[in-house]
Amino acid sequence: MRESLLGWQQYRYLKWGLALLLLSVALYLTQGGSNAAQPANGGTWQGYVLGTVGALLIVWLSLLGVRKRSYKSTAGTVQGWASAHVYLGTVLLVVATLHCALQFGLNVHTLAYVLMCLVVISGFYGLYAYMHLPGRLATIQSGSGQDGRLDELAKIDARIRDTSQRCDANLQSLVISALELTRVGGSAWQQLLARDRSRVTVPGSDTRKAQAVANAEQEVVIRHLAGRIPDARKQSEAEVLNELLGLFGRRQVLLHQLRREVQLRGLMKIWLYFHIPLTVGLLVALVVHILTVFIYW
C-alpha cells in the first residue's frame, strides 16, 4: 500500500512536487525588491501566477473522487492520481501561502485560504488512516472476521444461558442481564471511542446502582464469579462457576475485538465527512475569490 501510493513510479510525484515547490519559491523571491513598485502580495504578476497555479491545483485535486469512480477511464491509474494528490496537495499549502504573502483579513480571500488548509489537514489524516489503520484491522481479523466472532459470541451466549440454569436465582439473574443488556456500536461518537454502552443488573440493586456499573458489565460479572468460587460448598458448584468464568472471559475478548473493529472502521471513514464538505466549500470560496479579484482589479 505504501509502495503503490507514496512510492508510485519511483516517487515520480514527489519529484514533481519538489520541482513545483522550488519554482514557486524562486518566483516569489523575484518580487518585493528595493526597486519594486510594491511589496510581495497576491496582486503582483508573480502573485497572479502563483494564484493561478494554486487554483488549477485545487480544481485538479478535487477531481480525484471523479477519477476513482471512472472505471473505464484511461487518464492514468488511480494509484498515480492518489500519489499526485498527496504530494501536489502538500505543495499547494506552500503555493497558496506564497500567493497571499501571509496577508490575511476578515474577507473571502482569507476564508478560501483557511478552508484550503483544513482540506489539506484532513487529507493528512486520511493518508495516515489509509496507511496504518488497515493493518491494525487486519491484525484483529487475523483469526476470524466479524461474522465469525459474532457467531462465536452467539454460541458462547447460548452456553452461558444453559450453564446459568444450574446456578441460584440471583446469579442467574446477574448472568442473563449481562447477556441481554450488552451493546455494541451506538452513536458515531461512541463507535469512535469504542465505548461500552452495556448494562448489568446486580441482584438486589435498584436502577441507580444498575446504571452505576454501566460500561463495565463484563468486569462486574467476572469479579462476581471469581469472588464466589472460594466460597463454593460443592465441587459441582465450583465447576459451574469456573465454566461461567471461562465463558465470560472469552466473551469479554470477543466484545473488545468487535468494538475495536467498529472503531477502526469508523476512524478510516470519519475524515471523509469533513474532507469532502470542506472541499466543496473551498471550491465555492475559490470561485468567489476569483470573481472578487477580477471585479475589483
Side-chain angles (χ1 to χ4, degrees), residues 42-226:
T44 64
W45 72 266
Q46 296 96 328
Y48 280 113
V49 171
L50 290 170
T52 301
V53 172
L56 292 175
L57 278 176
I58 290 173
V59 174
W60 181 83
L61 291 168
S62 302
L63 295 176
L64 175 61
V66 178
R67 173 62 188 88
K68 288 172 65 177
R69 290 162 179 80
S70 302
Y71 303 108
K72 297 182 180 180
S73 175
T74 58
T77 64
V78 174
Q79 291 87 348
W81 275 66
S83 180
H85 192 85
V86 171
Y87 289 119
L88 298 182
T90 302
V91 173
L92 174 63
L93 275 176
V94 179
V95 173
T97 302
L98 296 177
H99 163 63
C100 68
L102 296 177
Q103 296 180 354
F104 304 118
L106 296 177
N107 48 52
V108 70
H109 315 299
T110 301
L111 174 62
Y113 180 83
V114 171
L115 287 173
M116 180 213 64
C117 291
L118 293 176
V119 169
V120 174
I121 291 172
S122 64
F124 285 154
Y125 173 79
L127 177 64
Y128 166 81
Y130 179 77
M131 300 291 287
H132 297 282
L133 298 186
R136 299 181 184 179
L137 185 60
T139 300
I140 295 176
Q141 296 176 332
S142 58
S144 61
Q146 187 180 68
D147 292 339
R149 282 194 296 276
L150 289 173
D151 289 340
E152 183 180 357
L153 183 63
K155 293 177 181 178
I156 288 177
D157 286 358
R159 289 182 58 188
I160 289 175
R161 290 180 184 275
D162 292 339
T163 306
S164 66
Q165 294 179 1
R166 292 181 279 166
C167 303
D168 60 70
N170 285 338
L171 181 57
Q172 186 175 5
S173 175
L174 174 69
V175 168
I176 298 302
S177 72
L179 300 185
E180 294 179 346
L181 300 179
T182 295
R183 298 292 182 269
V184 177
S187 67
W189 183 245
Q190 289 166 338
Q191 292 181 39
L192 292 176
L193 294 179
R195 181 171 294 173
D196 183 358
R197 298 171 51 246
S198 303
R199 300 288 187 267
V200 60
T201 302
V202 179
S205 66
D206 57 18
T207 303
R208 184 175 302 176
K209 291 182 180 179
Q211 295 291 329
V213 296
N215 306 327
E217 47 101 359
Q218 297 298 303
E219 289 80 359
V220 170
V221 177
I222 289 174
R223 287 198 303 268
H224 188 84
L225 291 172

Side-chain angles (χ1 to χ4, degrees), residues 221-291:
V221 177
I222 289 174
R223 287 198 303 268
H224 188 84
L225 291 172
R228 289 190 55 166
I229 292 176
D231 299 328
R233 298 180 179 180
K234 298 180 181 180
Q235 183 178 357
S236 58
E237 181 182 356
E239 291 175 352
V240 170
L241 293 173
N242 274 310
E243 183 177 354
L244 286 173
L245 187 61
L247 290 172
F248 269 101
R250 178 55 184 168
R251 190 173 191 270
Q252 184 179 36
V253 171
L254 290 173
L255 288 173
H256 174 75
Q257 291 176 344
L258 287 169
R259 292 185 178 111
R260 179 60 172 162
E261 183 175 351
V262 170
Q263 180 189 43
L264 290 175
R265 291 185 183 277
L267 290 173
M268 286 192 292
K269 295 179 179 179
I270 189 64
W271 69 280
L272 291 172
Y273 291 93
F274 296 93
H275 192 70
I276 294 177
L278 286 172
T279 300
V280 174
L282 171 59
L283 290 173
V284 173
L286 178 65
V287 171
V288 176
H289 164 66
I290 293 174
L291 292 176

